[in-house]
Amino acid sequence: GSEAPGKLEGIESWATWVGLNLLYERYLVKRKGFVVETPNEALERVASFVAEAELSLGGSLDAARQEFYEIMSSGRFMPNSPTIMNSGTKYHQLAACFVIPLEDDMDSIFSALNTAAWVFKTGAGAGFDFTPLRGRGSPLSFGGTASGPVSFMKLFDEVADVIKEGGRRRAAMMGVLHDVHVDLEDFINSKLSGGLENFNISVGVHDAFMMAAASDSEWNLYDPNECPQLVGLLSGDLPDLWRRCSPRRTVRASSLLEEAARAAWETGDPGLVFLDTINQHNPTPRLGRIRATNPCGETPLLSWEACNLGSLNLGRYVKDEGIDWELLEHDIRIAVRFLDDVIETSWYPRPEIEAAVKRTRKIGLGVMGWADMLAKLKIPYDSDSALYLADKLMEFIAYVARDESNRLSRERGPYPEFPGSIHKDGRFNFEPQVSSSQIYDESKVSDAVHSIVNSRPKLDWDRVRSEMMEGTRNATMTTIAPTGSISIIADASSSIEPFYSLIYIRQSSLFSWVELNRFLRDWLQESNNLNAEKIKDVIRHGGSVRGLSWVPSDVQAVLGTALDIDWRWHVRMQAVFQRWVDNAVSKTVNMRRDATVDDVKGVFIEAWRLKCKGITVFRDQSKGVQVMSVNQNI
Ligand code: UDP
């Protein structure tokens, strides 16, 4: 406990009680119900276990172990939860994200359920493309009619319910259905009446669909039983489908988009997954097309692939009103090595998964604590300065990460699919890119932010490109995950999200607690305002300071919350990070309760236009249970 004499070290010296509590409840190894390690020992366990990969890869186990421990125990880097929970245990499955394929037959469906059960058991989540399943009412070979993809999703949901009982984590799933499937409306509305609690759902949309919606054209829906070729299509293949298959129904694309926006307005689901954009950036097209993502959308994967993630805590790199680029570069290199080692040391629930993972060696290095960094630097989230800094910062991370993967390739060899990849041809994952001028106006960037960016080390992309063409270790380097749990452990704001609220109650399945934003607290203290009256005023104001007359305008600007920030800035922030991210960006566009269905449609269209890979909205209080909610009655 905190009364213990002696100096606290490592994570124990800076962790909050909430973070430590979470570690004790879910992450530390238990025997017979008792926790048998300290938080520092847990990080030592992770570092030692992952570093074992160095033995077979010709590196130095001791050096790696120390470096891995140092970046975690200092709170600058955290791997995804399964790596912290499962390293060194019997089922040492270390990845967070899986995509499991389904075909239109019982064997395939039940075998996918079986695989998914193992994935859930180890604290990870899985995504599925349900498009191959024949539509509701379609004939079956033994007579009778099919019940359709949505009914099978209910089955998956039941299994997830059973497995999560007694587990340490929610069994999270992503269900995707492509925009050409005949059961599309059933799918879009499948969460309206409750149920499917373990699913996030997303409509897989084509560019052609978005254009048809914009021009108010007709859109054809097909049954895969009659047209098997509709699985895994891209926009370019649609004319052929239209010629060769007869649709079951024809609807206006704009009313489908409207229906999706209405359901999302009401429940947060469905989101959209932009299939053409995702596949334009598929690094290994020879291995097939990407049809689904993991549960929170940040990792589009080929069938059977898995991806392990880790996140840098950006708040920790602020130094002297600028960014400590050297330390950041140092940590990116160690984190990349760590994540590549995780691939070697992880246990895999199926041989198909192990084969797919080791063929492409995808990793997902991302960030958390972005709102912390901005607040420390006194930059409002909803500003061109913030977008510009995000652009230059993520470019730096992408650059160093790819450079390190090239270096690892010289040491350990390229990923096996490299000869058939875009990298061999000298193309980076993030090319082609949407131009930055479509997202922000550089002429509005502050001098202070220009000078932070000017202190960034020089990037030589041509060198990195030509070295990459000789061999690179990983098919993807970067992913921006939600960091729901690891940001609590690391005491960071989550992912690239703005602060949700300056005062709120956080609820987990285990307990709930009240938090006062640290930047607000510091300012209240400095300005002699830290008293019950002022705090109550912020609470009455919905956990925000924007519009409170006693708060100066610069403080109001810097402490903007998710609901203060207009949806256009949310989408721009996602898009600007996506410019440099190999996988995808998990982001929730939080909207105020009074947002309209048209606003939601606006978010969908803008995200597509700015080349996001997917999009999720959440309107305040639109669901019964919220992970985070502003409580007026504290
Ligand atoms: N995930 C899961 N169950 C959960 C939370 C997350 O399976 O309860 C998976 C899911 O694939 C998600 C990914 O982990 O997309 C990353 O989520 P997050 O960054 O929030 O995980 P953390 O590492 O912070 O626990």
Side-chain angles (χ1 to χ4, degrees), residues 212-288:
S215 62
D216 201 16
S217 315
E218 306 264 87
W219 186 255
N220 295 334
L221 299 175
Y222 299 84
D223 188 341
N225 194 31
E226 293 156 9
C227 298
Q229 67 266 44
L230 75 85
V231 174
L233 287 181
L234 296 180
S235 281
D237 311 314
L238 285 167
D240 189 50
L241 179 77
W242 293 331
R243 258 195 316 276
R244 294 210 277 155
C245 263
S246 47
R248 272 278 213 90
R249 283 185 302 123
T250 298
V251 230
R252 306 199 82 78
S254 59
S255 31
L256 288 171
L257 189 66
E258 172 92 18
E259 201 160 342
R262 184 168 297 281
W265 180 86
E266 218 160 292
T267 68
D269 279 299
L272 302 185
V273 164
F274 300 112
L275 298 168
D276 289 308
T277 305
I278 286 173
N279 281 285
Q280 252 168 29
H281 300 270
N282 176 1
T284 58
R286 211 172 65 172
L287 297 180

Side-chain angles (χ1 to χ4, degrees), residues 234 275-291 300-303 305 360 362 415 417 420-423 427-432 475-476 582-583 613:
L234 296 180
L275 298 168
D276 289 308
T277 305
I278 286 173
N279 281 285
Q280 252 168 29
H281 300 270
N282 176 1
T284 58
R286 211 172 65 172
L287 297 180
R289 288 171 173 180
I290 298 175
R291 291 157 34 195
L301 293 170
L302 295 165
S303 293
E305 276 186 330
T360 55
K362 290 181 175 175
Y415 65 94
E417 182 55 22
S421 73
I422 62 169
H423 300 128
R427 218 185 94 207
F428 293 109
N429 300 60
F430 45 77
E431 290 170 328
T476 67
D582 293 351
N583 291 303
K613 290 187 180 173

